[in-house]
Amino acid sequence: VMRSVASFITLRGQDSYTAAMGEEFTHPSMYTRWAFDPYLKCYSKIPFDNNHRSAAVWMNSQAIVKPLDRLVDGAWQKFTSNAYVHHYAKHGIAQENFERGFALLEQVISDYKKL
């Protein structure tokens, strides 16, 4: 089960106030135990972009883990081969800055995996 910290759902257009949301977004097993009121739903009668009805969902979830992992792996490979590092050094960005940034991102990935 992919866990989320929170979900934000926006429904716009005709009858958006009466739209029923299934358990897909409201079931407690989707969210971390420590998340307080993780599900927020907003409505507006005003249509978006000439659409009769529309919906948008934003979720802070574990879905970010794989793309972020790939991004960090690629950046780490470039960094360890010194690709582009000299350009950053010209502007005062030291190797330690990169290493701290990589450590921070690895911690973010680890935290999301633990959700």
Side-chain angles (χ1 to χ4, degrees):
V1 173
M2 182 173 19
R3 300 243 186 254
S4 298
V5 175
S7 299
F8 177 67
I9 298 166
T10 304
L11 302 170
R12 296 184 68 166
Q14 181 181 351
D15 302 325
S16 62
Y17 291 90
T18 61
M21 298 300 294
E23 269 195 14
E24 297 85 13
F25 297 107
T26 60
H27 198 275
S29 68
M30 275 189 57
Y31 301 99
T32 61
R33 291 185 187 126
W34 48 265
F36 177 76
D37 198 17
Y39 173 74
L40 179 62
K41 183 167 56 169
C42 295
Y43 308 93
S44 173
K45 291 180 182 178
I46 302 169
F48 176 74
D49 199 26
N50 294 323
N51 291 309
H52 191 60
R53 294 185 184 126
S54 63
V57 178
W58 294 271
M59 294 184 83
N60 186 354
S61 72
Q62 291 173 316
I64 192 67
V65 170
K66 285 182 184 179
L68 192 55
D69 226 354
R70 284 193 305 269
L71 179 92
V72 171
D73 285 345
W76 181 253
Q77 288 174 7
K78 288 178 184 172
F79 174 71
T80 57
S81 66
N82 287 321
Y84 308 107
V85 174
H86 65 283
H87 293 294
Y88 292 98
K90 286 180 189 177
H91 298 284
I93 299 175
Q95 182 172 342
E96 294 80 26
N97 296 107
F98 282 100
E99 291 167 352
R100 282 194 304 269
F102 283 118
L104 177 66
L105 286 170
E106 290 292 344
Q107 184 61 52
V108 168
I109 292 168
S110 174
D111 290 345
Y112 269 99
K113 285 180 179 178
K114 292 176 187 175
L115 290 177

